Amino acid sequence: MGSLRSFPTVAFTIVMAFAPTLAHGQLPGERAAFVERAASQKWAMLIGVDEYIHVNKLKYCGSDVSALQERLVGLGFPEAQTFLLHDGAKQRKNEPYKSNIDAVVETLLGKLSEDGKSLAQRGLVSRGDLVVVAFSGHGAHLDGTSYFCPIDARLNRADSLLSLERLYKLLALSPADVKLMLVDACRNDPRPGGVKDLKATAESKKLAESLDKPPQGILVLSSCAPGQVSVEDPELGHGV
């Protein structure tokens, strides 16, 4: 059995595999597109939630995304284009509340039309860009739909959760060339008093299945496959 590796370390390794293609403004075999792609940009939205208000708290999700941001900036992601939302943020607008997350999603990816089939408003991400969306925290599967849980999530209210389906649609409609999601969310029952062991619940299995089948053109790296459970390791100080 290999040694444990932290979520930010593995995530950074995956991003490194894609970043060089955009750093030089071209993909293999696309020499003619070099001039147009020279202005390609790298964007990231990194969300980590530990201090949940209404569900079980976690320990290292903020550390995960903070470490990932440091590595991405070191790789060449502009700090101003790397949006970090976590519990320890110095500014209230950067705490992982649902309203703050929605604002960043709309800034980067835009707004869906009422029928959900097109963009009513474009975001900052443009053709040729690389966009990374990372979430570390609780996930949930309610009434057939998978969600990520912001800090103020209420598991009986879908409007307080971040819909995975909505994120998928926005990324699918985005003109970016590379769309990467990094997810560490398939945990045990997040409800107070919920089960906390190494066995997956029915809900966590369904969430993992949603992450296992993203729309065409979106790459998803999840912390676990259906039937597995995400864990936090005190020695690493991160998710595994």
Side-chain angles (χ1 to χ4, degrees):
M1 180 176 177
S3 60
L4 296 179
R5 301 182 69 191
S6 70
F7 173 76
T9 299
V10 176
F12 173 72
T13 303
I14 297 296
V15 175
M16 276 199 65
F18 291 90
T21 49
L22 291 180
H24 297 291
Q26 66 184 117
L27 296 168
E30 296 191 354
R31 190 179 184 87
F34 177 77
V35 175
E36 182 179 353
R37 292 176 183 267
S40 296
Q41 298 290 317
K42 303 182 185 72
W43 305 88
M45 177 176 69
L46 314 175
I47 305 164
V49 192
D50 291 310
E51 295 295 323
Y52 281 99
I53 299 171
H54 306 294
V55 300
N56 286 333
K57 298 184 189 311
L58 295 168
K59 293 181 179 179
Y60 307 120
C61 300
S63 298
D64 284 351
V65 294
S66 296
L68 182 56
Q69 185 202 36
E70 290 180 9
R71 289 177 176 239
L72 292 181
V73 171
L75 181 63
F77 280 65
E79 191 165 359
Q81 294 174 197
T82 306
F83 296 83
L84 176 65
L85 297 98
H86 68 115
D87 311 87
K90 294 180 180 179
Q91 293 183 298
R92 189 67 178 245
K93 67 177 183 179
N94 295 326
E95 294 178 347
Y97 285 88
K98 173 66 160 47
S99 58
N100 291 343
I101 295 172
D102 282 344
V104 175
V105 169
E106 291 175 2
T107 297
L108 285 184
L109 302 176
K111 291 183 180 181
L112 285 174
S113 60
E114 289 188 8
D115 61 8
K117 296 180 180 180
S118 61
L119 287 178
Q121 176 182 312
R122 286 277 299 271
L124 294 173
V125 176
S126 299
R127 183 176 181 273
D129 289 357
L130 179 156
V131 59
V132 176
V133 176
F135 180 84
S136 184
H138 278 304
H141 189 85
L142 306 173
D143 299 323
T145 301
S146 292
Y147 299 92
F148 299 139
C149 298
I151 194 171
D152 50 346
R154 291 180 180 271
L155 296 181
N156 61 347
R157 287 183 48 184
D159 62 353
S160 72
L161 307 174
L162 183 64
S163 166
L164 176 60
E165 181 181 2
R166 175 177 164 236
L167 274 178
Y168 275 162
K169 286 183 178 179
L170 285 168
L171 284 169
L173 292 169
S174 167
D177 277 14
V178 181
K179 308 162 188 181
L180 176 63
M181 286 186 67
L182 309 169
V183 181
D184 185 6
C186 299
R187 306 177 188 277
N188 297 120
D189 190 345
R191 293 169 293 190
V195 177
K196 202 170 187 179
D197 59 27
L198 295 180
K199 294 181 180 179
T201 63
E203 289 75 17
S204 66
K205 287 180 182 178
K206 291 175 182 177
L207 172 61
E209 288 170 359
S210 300
L211 294 168
D212 205 34
K213 299 175 182 178
Q216 185 175 1
I218 302 171
L219 177 66
V220 175
L221 171 66
S222 178
S223 57
C224 50
Q228 298 178 333
V229 176
S230 296
V231 297
E232 296 184 303
D233 187 89
E235 292 187 14
L236 290 175
H238 286 291
V240 179

